[in-house]
Amino acid sequence: MITDTFDGYLRRLGVIDPGAPSAEGLFALQRAHLERVSYDNIDIQLGRPPGIDPGAAARRIAAGLGGYCYHLNGAFALLLDALGYDVSLHVGGVYRDAGSREVSGGHLALTVRVDGEAYWVDTGLGDSPYEPLPLREGTYEQGGFRYVMRRLEPLEGEGPGWSMLSSDMHMPRMNFRDAPARTSDFQAMHTWLSTSADSPFVRTLALFRRDARGTDVLRGRVLSRVEPVKGTTERELTTPEEFYETLATVFRRHNDDLTHEDRTALWERVDGAHAAWLASGKG
């Protein structure tokens, strides 16, 4: 059933008529989601992390905001279900170690079955593949980026699952279990990721937006563009005006929810972290 929230969600995606469930429709929805809804941790940076209830996340997206995997994939699953798709949630995790078989619960993964095929669907990795990947072992190319799907029996912990590997992504490995999951399975990890001083989401501002040619990335004050043909270009954002203009234009995030005090606090936090990063000698 399509409610006012889902109408607003579809308008955010630029989708007038999603049609009946189909592989073509699923691909179009994922492309639109990645292009128009940013992956971001702005509310975590401001010390007010939103909950991961899928309905609330869908309302955030309809209002022009973003989130990270629990919000983006949780809301997308709810939308797909409302449109008649056969969608499942899965416990996953992302890793710098390309050999990891761990499944930490730090990522919410989706699978969708449509037109006799199963797909891995993801709008919550930041630099996700632009389109769903078949849930079959193989190597897949999209616009110069390469992704490898592998069957894993077993993963660490309970049950078999799947792994996606790509040297083109900031985290080269994502694993998830076959078993269906519930939103509550991610609550404890969300609490840690969104509140712990040791969490990368608390330490560093991060935004991503994917399109057909590549990925826009903002970490702190450093804006990057990653494309397989042109490589990576980057520049520093030097003023709060430039920073907020970038959020609105490059990442398509509506900033109406941010008060003057929010904007000042966020910029001071980002600027201070950038100065500390430069002082550490890593810049």
Side-chain angles (χ1 to χ4, degrees), residues 125-141:
L125 277 175
D127 50 356
S128 305
Y130 188 51
E131 297 178 332
L133 296 181
L135 208 59
R136 286 184 274 109
E137 289 198 327
T139 299
Y140 303 92
E141 292 195 10

Side-chain angles (χ1 to χ4, degrees), residues 222-244:
V222 179
L223 176 65
S224 305
R225 174 68 182 177
V226 182
E227 296 187 12
V229 176
K230 296 181 179 179
T232 300
T233 59
E234 63 180 41
R235 64 183 177 91
E236 289 185 18
L237 306 181
T238 59
T239 68
E241 293 76 17
E242 185 181 26
F243 176 78
Y244 286 107

Side-chain angles (χ1 to χ4, degrees), residues 1-15 18-19 21 25-26 28-30 32-33 37 54-55 57-59 61-62 71-87 89 110 112 123:
M1 182 176 66
I2 301 301
T3 65
D4 289 343
T5 294
F6 291 129
D7 280 338
Y9 197 150
L10 290 170
R11 285 195 299 272
R12 176 89 187 276
L13 301 186
V15 176
L26 177 66
L29 287 164
Q30 175 161 318
H33 209 293
V37 183
R59 290 190 290 274
I61 291 173
H71 309 108
L72 302 177
N73 280 342
F76 195 42
L78 201 63
L79 175 66
L80 291 174
D81 181 72
L83 294 174
Y85 286 90
D86 179 6
V87 57
L89 282 63
L110 303 179
V112 174
T123 62

Side-chain angles (χ1 to χ4, degrees), residues 125-228:
L125 277 175
D127 50 356
S128 305
Y130 188 51
E131 297 178 332
L133 296 181
L135 208 59
R136 286 184 274 109
E137 289 198 327
T139 299
Y140 303 92
E141 292 195 10
Q142 295 182 3
F145 293 104
R146 178 172 292 185
Y147 309 97
V148 178
M149 292 294 293
R150 289 183 181 169
R151 182 72 176 153
L152 288 182
E153 299 187 29
L155 291 163
E156 289 184 10
E158 297 180 4
W162 291 87
S163 183
M164 188 283 298
L165 299 98
S166 177
S167 60
D168 296 318
M169 297 177 62
H170 75 292
M171 290 288 194
R173 186 168 192 133
M174 190 280 295
N175 302 327
F176 68 92
R177 293 197 183 102
D178 283 346
R182 299 170 298 177
T183 301
S184 58
D185 295 328
F186 303 95
Q187 184 58 56
M189 183 59 77
H190 168 63
T191 298
W192 185 87
L193 288 171
S194 61
T195 63
S196 171
D198 295 327
S199 167
F201 294 98
V202 173
R203 292 198 307 266
T204 306
L205 175 82
L207 287 93
F208 292 80
R209 190 193 66 85
R210 181 77 158 87
D211 59 34
R213 299 186 307 278
T215 308
D216 296 303
V217 184
L218 180 63
R219 288 193 179 91
R221 277 177 38 198
V222 179
L223 176 65
S224 305
R225 174 68 182 177
V226 182
E227 296 187 12

